[in-house]
Amino acid sequence: MITVNNLSLQFGKRVLYKNVNLKFTPGNCYGIIGANGAGKSTFLKLLSGELEPTGGSVSITPGERLSVLQQDHYAYDDYEVLRTVIMGNKRLVEIMDEKDHLYAKPDFSEEDGNRAAELEAEFAEMNGWDAESEAEKLLNGLGIETEKHTMKMADLTPKEKVRVLLAQALFGSPDILLLDEPTNHLDVDSINWLENFLADFPNTVIVVSHDRHFLNQVCTYICDVDFGEIRLYAGNYDFWYQSSQLALQLQKEQNKKAEEKIKELQNFIARFAANAAKSKQATSRKKLLDKIQVEDIKPSSRRYPYIAFTPDREAGDQLLTVDGLSKSVDGEQVLKNISFTLKKGDKVAFVGPDALAKTMLFKILMGEEEPDEGTFKWGVTTTQAYLPSDNAAYFDGVDLNLVDWLRQYSKDPDETFVRGFLGRMLFSGEESQKKASVLSGGERVRCMLSRMMLSGANVLLLDEPTNHLDLESITSLNNGLMAFKGTCLFTSHDHEFVQTIANRIIAITPDGVVDRLSTYDEFLANDAVRSQLAAKFGKN
């Protein structure tokens, strides 16, 4: 168990947290959520002891081992992959090294023999003989092939290093597991493996993630970091979000049909508790939700941007025809014989492991790149708005405040009108006078979304739009695209985003596309599709 007592942290005049009291108990997974800059990762550093609090304390039950997902991807470059994973249990590695040193001594003494016997007993107690097989199992589950287990970490790709460090954190069944964005750089199969691993994990897990699907699958509690407080709520992310929104409505309508609203909230709690019985964390989550009373539900003070795309006109039936597009970059073919026809109302998610291929397709469709072969044609009634994955060209070196920056893309130059769109994206008052060149990644994306809303386009192209956004912005964008009456093409690594928006999935493969009218979950569950993809990508 890990206990937080009156924890406070202050940087200069800025108070990040004040008098936080929490208990994290075995058998539960706690999801840490909060706006960008709220201090989620900092909180994990306080729990791990990497940072010292300004006030209060963090205590761990004596004898319990804490494991942390390391963020320095180069720290283990001199070690073999398998060794790096086993290094997740520091004491086990110390025993292994001391044993090797003793047995290598040419003058092995009786005293050395006694010490070796002690080490062997402790080694066996820690399941040391199974260490390599456990490490191999973790690596295979996370997509690191067996032939790479004896390679040096320096020889792996950055994405592979992240997976090895995740295996290191999971190794040896730690009593307390701290994970900061563990799904970054994982493919769908690896994320699913990790969800199953954590659902069966008997000890304490505390995780920071922007992946709502992941939080819904693994969490029994949500810790909301907001306005200097950290509040604990039973349930997963969806339960926290939906119940807090209902509570907010109840608060706003206290004197208007209050009893009706309370009943609505009671029904919601009961319905969600029933659904929890079907989840991977079924038993513990349902027990927690069954105990919740209406007064336990608090409205969130979190602010959500308002994202709504309204086409100036409806598109006709002819939207887009793509025929045999191919493209090479630096001698590598990234697109080969890409063909599809876009239909009115399609919301298409483009998937596949090659991010460059998807980005290049979008750039070709927007006229920023020329194909080597093939053609495409937009319908005459279509208008397009584009959110690129790299938006630096729109901001770097631009000496304009946000009002003037957005005014460039507005048909109506009136300042009040432009400020209204900035206000929707939470840039109000002095925030609207910020220089465009100094914005954070998330702020840049919100500005780009304002630009798209102003365009009145009936076809939207979005390349990894959730990158850099906090959960509130992701949720608002998700809702905005679900409500959008036009057509959209998008890429995203956010499972929930793809599942709730797309009605069509197109996988870009090394020699064409796999195109299905289905939801994302149906696409992933289709054995025929998976076999087809495995064959095209050359996987087992």
Side-chain angles (χ1 to χ4, degrees):
M1 184 169 70
I2 186 165
T3 306
V4 176
N5 294 301
N6 293 320
L7 185 78
S8 298
L9 184 67
Q10 187 169 343
F11 296 112
K13 292 183 179 179
R14 186 189 176 204
V15 177
L16 209 55
Y17 329 108
K18 189 174 181 181
N19 298 329
V20 174
N21 292 281
L22 297 168
K23 280 187 180 180
F24 300 100
T25 57
N28 286 304
C29 179
Y30 300 83
I32 311 295
I33 64 169
N36 288 343
K40 302 182 295 294
S41 295
T42 302
F43 184 58
L44 288 191
K45 290 178 181 178
L46 288 166
L47 295 179
S48 69
E50 186 179 340
L51 275 182
E52 285 292 326
T54 308
S57 64
V58 174
S59 59
I60 296 173
T61 303
E64 291 193 345
R65 183 169 71 87
L66 181 145
S67 184
V68 180
L69 174 57
Q70 300 295 329
Q71 301 298 317
D72 184 353
H73 302 162
Y74 304 98
Y76 300 89
D77 276 0
D78 294 336
Y79 298 97
E80 286 188 355
V81 169
L82 207 60
R83 166 81 173 185
T84 300
V85 175
I86 296 172
M87 289 171 76
N89 189 329
K90 184 179 177 182
R91 178 56 190 153
L92 182 61
V93 171
E94 288 173 350
I95 292 170
M96 292 168 66
D97 288 347
E98 189 176 351
K99 276 175 44 182
D100 290 344
H101 173 71
L102 285 173
Y103 291 139
K105 290 177 71 173
D107 54 345
F108 190 80
S109 65
E110 183 179 348
E111 184 181 347
D112 292 331
N114 292 334
R115 178 57 181 160
E118 291 173 3
L119 293 171
E120 291 289 5
E122 190 176 354
F123 183 72
E125 193 177 322
M126 297 177 73
N127 294 321
W129 297 112
D130 297 327
E132 286 198 5
S133 61
E134 182 191 343
E136 288 172 350
K137 186 177 178 182
L138 290 169
L139 288 168
N140 290 332
L142 290 166
I144 303 295
E145 300 91 338
T146 303
E147 57 267 25
K148 294 186 178 181
H149 295 184
T150 54
M151 289 173 59
K152 286 285 182 72
M153 285 286 285
D155 297 326
L156 300 187
T157 66
K159 288 185 179 181
E160 289 171 333
K161 288 182 179 181
V162 171
R163 296 176 183 218
V164 175
L165 293 180
L166 179 54
Q168 181 193 75
L170 302 177
F171 177 76
S173 193
D175 300 290
I176 300 164
L177 183 56
L178 305 183
L179 302 173
D180 194 352
E181 296 292 355
T183 61
N184 282 359
H185 307 298
L186 297 187
D187 59 20
V188 172
D189 289 336
S190 298
I191 292 173
N192 188 55
W193 178 90
L194 180 60
E195 288 171 355
N196 288 323
F197 181 93
L198 293 179
D200 294 332
F201 191 72
N203 301 328
T204 305
V205 183
I206 305 172
V207 57
V208 170
S209 179
H210 284 85
D211 187 328
R212 294 165 299 160
H213 182 268
F214 180 74
L215 292 173
N216 283 331
Q217 292 296 96
V218 304
C219 290
T220 53
Y221 284 95
I222 292 295
C223 291
D224 184 24
V225 183
D226 195 11
F227 292 101
E229 297 182 332
I230 305 180
R231 291 182 176 177
L232 194 62
Y233 300 91
N236 60 12
Y237 177 78
D238 273 355
F239 182 80
W240 170 84
Y241 173 70
Q242 293 175 39
S243 62
S244 66
Q245 293 298 299
L246 280 172
L248 188 61
Q249 291 175 27
L250 177 59
Q251 188 181 67
K252 288 178 179 177
E253 302 178 20
Q254 280 181 350
N255 299 318
K256 183 177 144 186
K257 299 183 180 178
E259 288 184 11
E260 195 176 300
K261 286 291 178 185
I262 289 171
K263 188 169 178 57
E264 184 181 350
L265 197 49
Q266 287 171 332
N267 290 338
F268 169 77
I269 294 168
R271 185 171 67 253
F272 214 99
N275 290 339
K278 302 171 187 174
S279 73
K280 290 176 181 174
Q281 293 274 12
T283 305
S284 56
R285 187 177 295 152
K286 188 175 188 307
K287 284 180 180 177
L288 293 170
L289 296 179
D290 280 340
K291 294 176 183 175
I292 290 179
Q293 303 299 314
V294 168
E295 54 270 20
D296 296 328
I297 303 297
K298 306 293 182 188
S300 172
S301 55
R302 198 73 55 72
R303 297 170 65 210
Y304 290 78
Y306 175 76
I307 300 177
F309 303 99
T310 306
D312 287 341
R313 66 171 179 173
E314 187 177 347
D317 292 332
Q318 302 298 317
L319 273 87
L320 172 67
T321 302
V322 176
D323 185 19
L325 286 185
S326 295
K327 178 73 174 179
S328 293
V329 178
D330 298 329
E332 271 299 303
Q333 188 163 52
V334 294
L335 297 174
K336 181 181 178 182
N337 194 30
I338 303 298
S339 300
F340 61 89
T341 300
L342 199 64
K343 298 171 185 167
K344 189 175 179 180
D346 276 348
K347 293 185 177 178
V348 187
F350 289 84
V351 302
D354 189 349
L356 178 58
K358 292 173 283 188
T359 293
M360 188 54 63
L361 174 62
F362 279 24
K363 284 186 174 183
I364 290 171
L365 296 179
M366 290 306 297
E368 293 184 4
E369 292 279 350
E370 290 291 328
D372 298 333
E373 297 177 24
T375 60
F376 71 93
K377 184 178 181 181
W378 286 104
V380 294
T381 60
T382 64
T383 52
Q384 301 86 37
Y386 176 43
L387 178 69
S389 57
D390 181 2
N391 56 41
Y394 292 87
F395 297 97
D396 289 351
V398 177
D399 190 29
L400 295 172
N401 64 37
L402 294 193
V403 173
D404 291 334
W405 181 89
L406 190 58
R407 202 198 309 261
Q408 301 174 96
Y409 308 108
S410 175
K411 297 168 189 172
D412 185 343
D414 180 70
E415 182 167 331
T416 303
F417 177 77
V418 174
R419 278 181 178 272
F421 274 84
L422 287 172
R424 290 181 179 187
M425 302 306 288
L426 309 183
F427 296 108
S428 56
E430 292 182 5
E431 287 282 304
S432 65
Q433 295 303 307
K434 272 187 176 180
K435 292 287 187 183
S437 57
V438 303
L439 298 180
S440 68
E443 289 172 330
R444 287 184 174 195
V445 174
R446 296 204 320 264
C447 283
M448 292 295 287
L449 291 171
S450 290
R451 174 178 173 269
M452 292 182 80
M453 286 192 286
L454 280 168
S455 72
N458 51 31
V459 180
L460 306 178
L461 292 86
L462 306 100
D463 192 359
E464 293 293 350
T466 61
N467 283 358
H468 307 294
L469 293 181
D470 56 24
L471 278 168
E472 291 69 48
S473 299
I474 292 171
T475 301
S476 296
L477 176 58
N478 199 151
N479 292 338
L481 289 176
M482 286 170 63
F484 178 54
K485 300 299 183 186
T487 300
C488 64
L489 301 81
F490 68 98
T491 71
S492 178
H493 59 272
D494 186 311
H495 187 119
E496 189 81 6
F497 196 80
V498 179
Q499 168 62 17
T500 53
I501 296 169
N503 60 9
R504 181 177 175 187
I505 309 295
I506 296 181
I508 298 180
T509 77
D511 56 359
V513 301
V514 175
D515 188 350
R516 291 290 183 276
L517 277 171
S518 74
T519 67
Y520 190 41
D521 283 345
E522 290 167 346
F523 182 84
L524 294 175
N526 188 311
D527 290 338
V529 168
R530 292 179 75 88
S531 297
Q532 191 177 0
L533 289 175
K536 288 180 178 291
F537 286 114
K539 294 180 180 178
N540 295 327

